[in-house]
Amino acid sequence: MKAMLQVSRLGKSFGGLKAIDDLTLSVAEGQFLGIIGANGAGKTTLLNLITGYLTPTSGSIVFEGETIHGLPPYRIARLGIGRTFQVVQPFDEMSVLDNVMAGALFSRSGVHRSLAQARVESVGALRLVGLEAQAQLAAGSLTLGAKKKLELARALATNPKLLLLDEVMAGLTHEEIEDIMTVLRRIREAGTTIVMIEHLVHVIVELSDYVYVLNFGRELVRGLPDAVIELPEVIEAYLGAPMEAEGK
Ligand SMILES: Nc1ncnc2c1ncn2[C@@H]1O[C@H](COP(=O)(O)OP(=O)(O)OP(=O)(O)O)[C@@H](O)[C@H]1O
Ligand SMILES: [Mg+2]
């Protein structure tokens, strides 16, 4: 399979800390890739590098044959890479719909898009995540679960080929998690390639075709989800380390 996204020997240091350390990873078109790893493993840093919010210290990132590391975030977004943020920060006073429209206008085709078109696509994205009834509410009035759906709709309205998700399930109720899983299945079936960072292992196992486990910025192991989560080194790194750290 041809890689849509190829990350090669990527490194990112913050002072003496190697947040990403010689990481090589590829995403095939149509794939649903899961990334897990303990707190501080480098997951968000990886997303920030792919989307241009950070510049690598070493290595390369190629998307559909084009080198993208070093490009600013808006250029990368226009190539068709959308993302959600781990900490959702909508414009609280703006309506839910206006928040999503801001995404639609800032996208792959956004430069050529009219306000009316952006509105139609944004309403479509809100419908897909199940938020159309709240479209006119102020974003600040939403529950955390609804804000996460808004964040997803905002990313979808950029019409991405590749969608990067940073813990879209964190803090949600069981029912909200089920809802978002259904939405993600639909997005995937519509042809979008997805990379999902998630702490909820059962969600990763159910949705992903392939999983990478990060540990201290490096690949600990990769493989099929069911096999990967059974490995003792994964259980130790993923479940053992944070508990140990808490005991210190
Ligand atoms: N801008 C920054 N400046 C300095 N250090 C940073 C910066 N961003 C991240 N780090 C450090 O890099 C490491 C990786 O952080 P990162 O946020 O990528 O982890 P993560 O895997 O997303 O963790 P979590 O599961 O808690 O979200 C951590 O040690 C973090 O403190
Ligand atoms: Mg993170």
Side-chain angles (χ1 to χ4, degrees), residues 38-45 48 86 166-167 197 199:
N39 294 116
K43 305 178 298 295
T44 298
T45 301
N48 285 335
Q86 185 170 352
D166 197 353
E167 296 195 32
I197 292 172
H199 277 295

Side-chain angles (χ1 to χ4, degrees), residues 178-196:
E178 291 293 326
D179 273 5
I180 296 208
M181 285 174 76
T182 305
V183 172
L184 295 183
R185 285 196 185 94
R186 252 184 248 149
I187 296 168
R188 196 259 177 91
E189 277 159 23
T192 308
T193 307
I194 298 179
V195 174
M196 180 172 68

Side-chain angles (χ1 to χ4, degrees), residues 34 36-37 211-215 218-222 228 234 238:
I36 60 174
V211 174
Y212 279 77
V213 184
L214 299 192
N215 198 28
R218 302 181 72 100
E219 176 194 317
L220 180 69
V221 50
R222 62 175 136 142
V228 158
V234 173
Y238 193 58

Side-chain angles (χ1 to χ4, degrees), residues 21-169:
D21 186 9
D22 200 20
L23 182 70
T24 293
L25 171 150
S26 63
V27 186
E29 193 169 343
Q31 198 171 29
F32 196 124
L33 185 77
I35 299 182
I36 60 174
N39 294 116
K43 305 178 298 295
T44 298
T45 301
L46 174 63
L47 245 58
N48 285 335
L49 289 165
I50 296 170
T51 51
Y53 289 84
L54 289 172
T55 309
T57 312
S58 55
S60 68
I61 306 173
V62 174
F63 176 67
E64 296 194 316
E66 184 172 343
T67 297
I68 59 167
H69 62 270
L71 294 179
Y74 78 93
R75 293 267 313 272
I76 294 175
R78 280 185 188 160
L79 291 174
I81 301 183
R83 70 170 294 180
T84 65
F85 288 87
Q86 185 170 352
V87 180
V88 292
Q89 287 170 319
F91 299 107
D92 282 345
E93 287 85 41
M94 273 165 54
S95 73
V96 167
L97 178 59
D98 285 348
N99 267 279
V100 179
M101 281 181 66
L105 290 165
F106 187 67
S107 68
R108 179 140 63 106
S109 43
V111 251
H112 307 295
R113 193 177 282 174
S114 70
L115 266 179
Q117 278 172 313
R119 183 181 301 270
V120 168
E121 296 202 14
S122 300
V123 169
L126 284 173
R127 191 174 303 128
L128 190 61
V129 304
L131 265 189
E132 71 271 43
Q134 283 92 336
Q136 298 307 331
L137 295 181
S141 71
L142 298 180
T143 62
L144 176 65
K147 278 183 185 161
K148 292 271 186 173
K149 288 182 180 169
L150 167 58
E151 178 66 4
L152 190 55
R154 190 195 51 69
L156 285 174
T158 68
N159 193 19
K161 299 179 202 172
L162 172 64
L163 177 61
L164 309 173
L165 305 172
D166 197 353
E167 296 195 32
V168 283
M169 313 272 183

